[in-house]
Amino acid sequence: MLLKAGHLDGTELTEYLFDGNGCHTFRYPRTDTPNTHGTGCTLSSAIASYLALGDTLPKAIKHAKKYLNGALKASETDTGPYTIFIVFGSRFPEE
């Protein structure tokens, strides 16, 4: 079970994974943006993708959170829903 903290207050967020073998802690800075529509679905899809690539669950969550935080940072200058189209910190070219 992953306990998310995205709706909590604070400049640093702490989330917890209980995987049956113990508790894993994930800490990351909050990205202050109103463009958070769809982040839960994107996170779960990213976790599943990293699991399919062979990551352990804690590692998949760590990689997925890094991906999602990059997408949120990329959306700070936009309006509306954030963009999931980022590659290594930059967006895909506009079509």
Side-chain angles (χ1 to χ4, degrees), residues 19-95:
D19 66 359
N21 296 316
C23 177
H24 304 268
T25 303
F26 305 92
R27 289 187 178 87
Y28 56 93
R30 172 184 297 285
T31 300
D32 190 21
T33 178
N35 305 323
T36 59
H37 179 78
T39 54
C41 293
T42 300
L43 178 62
S44 62
S45 295
I47 291 169
S49 297
Y50 283 112
L51 287 171
L53 290 171
D55 281 359
T56 63
L57 183 56
K59 194 170 185 177
I61 291 170
K62 180 181 176 182
H63 287 149
K65 292 298 294 185
K66 183 175 180 180
Y67 165 75
L68 182 59
N69 287 339
L72 287 169
K73 282 216 167 280
S75 77
E76 287 180 315
T77 59
D78 294 335
T79 58
Y82 71 98
T83 179
I84 60 169
F85 300 110
I86 60 165
V87 179
F88 302 111
S90 63
R91 287 187 248 172
F92 286 114
E94 298 290 330
E95 292 187 84

